[in-house]
């Protein structure tokens, strides 16, 4: 699984011009599921997301997590994170998990985040044509891949 985490002062996602998820201060997380990913990947990423210290403390040092600031999370599925651009200029999505694997792992990731943070994450609608708006705070953007575990 791959995620892109953005520290935001606000974010929302809409489908057909209707807002389906929104948060104020917290994290916008774009979630991509690849073939071969497991619940262990989702668990590891949820724990990493919740504990990532990218919010400023009283000294202006990134030393607090989304839990520490009582922030919220907006998790949006995004299969394009699995793109391969090795050949040519048209991305290949051959590594993207099919619906039968991607939906349960996305849901598992969100459920694990809720368990860890104590707050149900806001969500987009899996597979929908979504419009995401955000105010990136910093900007701070982190990319994490469960297969690299950096």
């Amino acid at each position: 699984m791959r995620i892109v985490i953005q520290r935001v002062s606000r974010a929302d996602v809409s489908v057909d011009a209707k807002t389906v998820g929104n948060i104020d201060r917290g994290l916008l997380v774009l979630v991509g599921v690849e073939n071969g990913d497991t619940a262990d990947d989702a668990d590891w990423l949820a724990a990493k997301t919740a504990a990532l210290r990218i919010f400023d403390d009283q000294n202006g040092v990134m030393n607090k997590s989304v839990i520490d600031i009582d922030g919220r999370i907006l998790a949006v599925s995004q299969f394009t994170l699995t793109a391969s651009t090795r050949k040519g200029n048209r991305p290949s999505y051959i590594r993207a998990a099919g619906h039968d694997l991607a939906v349960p792992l996305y849901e598992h990731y969100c459920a694990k985040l809720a368990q860890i943070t104590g707050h149900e994450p806001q969500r987009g609608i899996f597979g929908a044509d979504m419009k995401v708006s955000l105010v990136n705070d910093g900007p701070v953007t982190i990319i994490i891949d469960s297969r690299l575990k950096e």
Side-chain angles (χ1 to χ4, degrees), residues 1-23:
M1 290 177 72
R2 288 184 182 164
I3 60 174
V4 174
I5 297 174
Q6 295 179 296
R7 184 178 78 180
V8 299
S9 53
R10 70 166 181 77
D12 64 74
V13 59
S14 60
V15 175
D16 296 328
K18 180 181 178 196
T19 300
V20 295
N22 66 335
I23 61 169

Side-chain angles (χ1 to χ4, degrees), residues 50 57 72 99 104:
D57 63 15
R72 298 298 183 265
H99 210 76

Side-chain angles (χ1 to χ4, degrees), residues 38-107:
T38 67
D40 287 342
D41 293 301
D43 290 344
W44 184 82
L45 284 170
K48 189 63 110 171
T49 301
L52 200 61
R53 297 184 329 180
I54 59 172
F55 292 92
D56 292 349
D57 63 15
Q58 63 278 8
N59 298 316
V61 177
M62 284 195 275
N63 205 24
K64 292 189 173 196
S65 71
V66 71
I67 295 170
D68 296 331
I69 65 149
D70 197 31
R72 298 298 183 265
I73 298 173
L74 172 59
V76 178
S77 62
Q78 188 172 353
F79 79 92
T80 60
L81 292 180
T82 68
S84 172
T85 57
R86 287 186 183 191
K87 294 182 184 176
N89 295 315
R90 184 175 183 195
S92 168
Y93 303 106
I94 193 85
R95 296 187 310 215
H99 210 76
D100 56 331
L101 175 63
V103 172
L105 284 181
Y106 166 72
E107 293 296 334

Side-chain angles (χ1 to χ4, degrees), residues 105-121:
L105 284 181
Y106 166 72
E107 293 296 334
H108 184 90
Y109 172 78
C110 291
K112 191 68 172 181
L113 279 175
Q115 178 186 6
I116 295 168
T117 66
H119 300 289
E120 191 69 34

